[in-house]
């Protein structure tokens, strides 16, 4: 167990290490957790990793001050003057990190960021994610970040009023290219004059983010409001995530006619019911994105065999497509096999996540909406279907192509790695 004296000796050794002339200037600790498990390779959660980094910065700074005081006292001459060697200086180390802050790590992270340029360890945030803390706690953290480093902000579970309190503080980050807003309550289902005005204000603030190229609006009620949200953006988006946003056909129609469609590399429409009038506008949107689209996610979209048959010719025009997500859709084994054979002509396709075939379920197909539908699977039928699909893929000679029915088995490349 670490004691106070052990910790003190550790930081004394750490400080002496820096004072000895060691030339480390930058320590890159970004990307240490994966988006699927949200855990670092050694088992820490991303929250505890952020807290540990912040604690290290604060403790090293405290010991730095104590060390300098002791050296100053030791080198005082008889007259009380301090010699030039009293306070050994080191330019310090910039620690680049992706920070995830919650209520437990908020205070210590705030202390670490306030140390600023005076500390030996200086946190430089590349990606900032805040969960379960209020807007008045998030704003001071954003104000303490180095404006030159931040490229992504992710905010979770906020209302319009709190979101509007945060967005103006993002304009100080010239490199901010990605904004993810998860579970943001936009009141789009039952708009009021007040909520409509707030949505317009949100759009205006988004328009101030000149470098924004990726926007995620996951699980936000947006039916009929997408045009209002995106209308003030000054440059086309390259990545747009609208999962579980209850989109209307008018939303996809607007998107297909916008400046964003020809530039989109990533499009996530998972969780939007294609059977509710979205098929034709989706087909039009895919036509407009076909020259640029690399990733398309249509999971949980109620895509049936008839829908896929309509979409397939347009999908085949997406010649640069690398990832296609169709998990948790009511597709038959025959439709999935037909999709495999026809998409073999897409030269860049690397990963397809297909659903458990509808004819491998033990429930009636009319019960597809059941929350427990995927638990009712005939394992023998599923194994046989997987074997057929694997054999078709093997016979194709496409050793570079992966087909899987497990959405978590392969991580889809992040926008910044495209």
């Amino acid at each position: 167990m670490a004691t106070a004296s052990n910790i003190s000796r550790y930081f004394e050794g750490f400080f002496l290490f820096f004072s000895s002339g060691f030339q480390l200037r930058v320590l890159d600790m970004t990307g240490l957790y994966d988006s699927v498990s949200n855990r670092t390779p050694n088992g820490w959660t991303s929250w505890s990793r952020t807290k540990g980094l912040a604690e290290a910065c604060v403790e090293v700074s405290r010991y730095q001050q104590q060390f300098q005081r002791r050296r100053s006292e030791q080198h005082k001459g008889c007259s009380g003057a301090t010699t030039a060697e009293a306070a050994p200086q080191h330019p310090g180390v910039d620690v680049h990190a992706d920070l995830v802050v919650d209520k437990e790590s908020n205070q210590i992270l705030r202390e670490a960021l306030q140390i600023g340029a005076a500390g030996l360890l200086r946190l430089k945030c590349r990606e900032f994610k805040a969960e379960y803390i209020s807007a008045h706690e998030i704003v001071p953290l954003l104000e303490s970040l180095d404006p030159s480093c931040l490229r992504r902000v992710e905010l979770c579970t906020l209302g319009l009023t709190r979101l509007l309190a945060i967005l103006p503080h993002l304009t100080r980050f010239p490199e901010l290219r990605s904004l993810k807003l998860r579970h943001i309550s936009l009141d789009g289902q039952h708009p009021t004059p007040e909520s409509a005005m707030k949505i317009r204000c949100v759009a205006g603030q988004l328009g101030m983010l000149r470098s924004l190229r990726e926007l995620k609006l996951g699980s936000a009620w947006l039916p009929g409001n997408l045009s209002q949200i995106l209308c003030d953006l000054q440059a086309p988006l390259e990545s747009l995530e609208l999962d579980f946003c209850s989109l209307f056909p008018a939303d996809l129609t607007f998107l297909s006619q916008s400046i964003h469609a020809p530039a989109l590399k990533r499009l996530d429409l998972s969780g939007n019911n294609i059977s509710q009038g979205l098929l034709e506008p989706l087909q039009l949107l895919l036509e407009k994105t076909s020259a640029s689209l690399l990733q398309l996610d249509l999971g949980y979209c109620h895509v049936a065999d008839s829908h896929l048959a309509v979409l397939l010719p347009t999908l085949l025009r997406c010649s640069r497509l690398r990832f296609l997500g169709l998990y948790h859709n009511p597709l038959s084994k025959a439709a999935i096999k037909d999709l495999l054979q026809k998409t073999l002509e897409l030269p860049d396709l690397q990963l397809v996540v297909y659903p458990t075939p509808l004819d491998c379920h033990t429930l009636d197909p009319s019960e597809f909406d059941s929350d427990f539908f995927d638990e009712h699977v005939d394992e023998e039928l599923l194994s046989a279907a997987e074997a057929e699909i694997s054999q078709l893929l093997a016979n194709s000679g496409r050793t570079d192509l992966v087909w899987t029915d497990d959405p978590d088995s392969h991580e889809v490349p992040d926008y910044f790695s495209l």
Side-chain angles (χ1 to χ4, degrees):
M1 181 180 296
T3 64
S5 60
N6 287 337
I7 293 174
S8 176
R9 285 196 295 270
Y10 169 79
F11 283 113
E12 181 173 3
F14 188 87
F15 187 79
L16 289 171
F17 176 70
F18 277 109
S19 303
S20 66
F22 187 68
Q23 296 301 308
L24 180 66
R25 296 293 182 266
V26 176
L27 178 60
D28 189 350
M29 300 187 70
T30 57
L32 290 184
Y33 65 94
D34 61 271
S35 61
V36 175
S37 66
N38 209 32
R39 290 185 175 273
T40 61
N42 63 4
W44 284 15
T45 64
S46 52
W47 291 275
S48 64
R49 177 178 54 82
T50 295
K51 185 179 179 182
L53 278 174
E55 287 174 341
C57 292
V58 171
E59 289 302 319
V60 168
S61 177
R62 288 173 181 168
Y63 192 82
Q64 177 187 10
Q65 296 172 11
Q66 296 171 6
F67 184 87
Q68 290 175 333
R69 281 198 301 269
R70 289 199 301 269
R71 289 292 296 265
S72 178
E73 292 170 358
Q74 292 170 2
H75 289 83
K76 280 184 179 179
C78 296
S79 63
T82 304
T83 66
E85 62 175 342
Q89 297 296 317
H90 185 280
V93 176
D94 291 335
V95 182
H96 292 256
D98 300 329
L99 302 178
V100 181
V101 58
D102 61 355
K103 288 189 177 298
E104 185 178 348
S105 59
N106 173 42
Q107 184 57 44
I108 189 67
L109 179 59
R110 187 172 178 177
E111 291 180 38
L113 292 172
Q114 288 174 343
I115 292 170
L120 277 177
L121 296 181
R122 297 181 295 268
L123 281 178
K124 304 289 184 179
C125 181
R126 184 185 69 163
E127 300 186 7
F128 177 87
K129 177 179 178 181
E131 288 191 322
Y132 314 118
I133 61 175
S134 64
H136 76 267
E137 292 172 308
I138 294 172
V139 168
L141 294 172
L142 290 173
E143 288 296 307
S144 300
L145 297 178
D146 185 332
S148 66
C149 300
L150 193 66
R151 70 178 191 179
R152 171 177 286 153
V153 168
E154 183 171 348
L155 305 173
C156 309
T157 319
L158 293 171
L160 275 175
T161 300
R162 293 177 178 177
L163 179 61
L164 283 170
I166 295 171
L167 287 178
H169 299 274
L170 299 183
T171 58
R172 63 188 292 266
F173 301 105
E175 300 302 319
L176 181 63
R177 297 179 63 84
S178 173
L179 178 61
K180 295 192 172 187
L181 305 175
R182 295 196 300 112
H183 302 288
I184 302 296
S185 177
L186 296 178
D187 302 321
Q189 189 179 26
H190 304 292
T192 64
E194 181 183 7
S195 67
M197 180 183 67
K198 289 181 178 179
I199 288 176
R200 285 292 303 124
C201 290
V202 168
Q205 292 295 334
L206 292 177
M208 298 295 290
L209 305 177
R210 305 297 184 183
S211 298
L212 192 66
R213 296 296 181 271
E214 178 178 56
L215 181 62
K216 175 181 174 65
L217 296 170
S219 301
W221 285 103
L222 284 178
N225 288 276
L226 187 61
S227 61
Q228 297 180 52
I229 294 292
L230 303 183
C231 64
D232 288 335
L233 294 180
Q234 302 299 305
L237 294 170
E238 296 178 343
S239 176
L240 182 60
E241 300 183 35
L242 299 169
D243 50 309
F244 296 93
C245 284
S246 302
L247 297 177
F248 280 177
D251 295 311
L252 295 188
T253 299
F254 156 76
L255 191 55
S256 67
Q257 298 170 352
S258 71
I259 63 171
H260 310 291
L264 283 174
K265 297 179 181 179
R266 299 179 72 244
L267 179 62
D268 184 349
L269 297 175
S270 57
N272 293 282
N273 193 338
I274 199 174
S275 67
Q276 296 181 350
L278 297 182
L279 182 59
E280 289 187 12
L282 174 58
Q283 187 179 18
L284 179 60
L285 175 58
L286 292 179
E287 289 176 0
K288 295 298 181 67
T289 64
S290 59
S292 60
L293 196 62
L294 305 180
Q295 298 180 10
L296 175 64
D297 197 332
L298 296 176
Y300 291 89
C301 282
H302 295 259
V303 178
D305 290 6
S306 59
H307 302 134
L308 185 60
V310 172
L311 289 176
L312 191 52
T314 310
L315 278 175
L316 295 178
R317 296 192 192 105
C318 300
S319 58
R320 301 178 61 194
L321 195 66
R322 300 176 188 173
F323 165 78
L324 176 62
L326 287 169
Y327 48 90
H328 202 91
N329 280 300
L331 292 172
S332 69
K333 181 177 67 174
I336 294 171
K337 291 167 62 177
D338 182 61
L339 176 69
L340 188 155
Q341 292 174 318
K342 290 180 178 176
T343 54
L344 289 174
E345 67 183 65
L346 296 176
D348 295 333
L349 192 62
Q350 299 170 358
L351 175 63
V352 177
V353 184
Y354 65 90
T356 300
L358 193 63
D359 29 7
C360 295
H361 291 281
T362 57
L363 291 178
D364 188 274
S366 64
E367 300 179 73
F368 181 77
D369 285 338
S370 169
D371 291 338
F372 305 103
F373 192 78
D374 275 350
E375 296 180 11
H376 297 270
V377 175
D378 186 311
E379 295 298 336
E380 289 188 7
L381 289 176
L382 178 58
S383 295
E386 290 175 338
E388 288 184 51
I389 292 170
S390 296
Q391 189 59 53
L392 280 175
L393 189 60
N395 292 342
S396 73
R398 285 288 301 273
T399 57
D400 59 321
L401 179 56
V402 174
W403 275 64
T404 177
D405 59 0
D406 182 1
D408 297 328
S409 62
H410 293 76
E411 188 172 0
V412 179
D414 181 74
Y415 163 70
F416 288 104
S417 62
L418 293 178

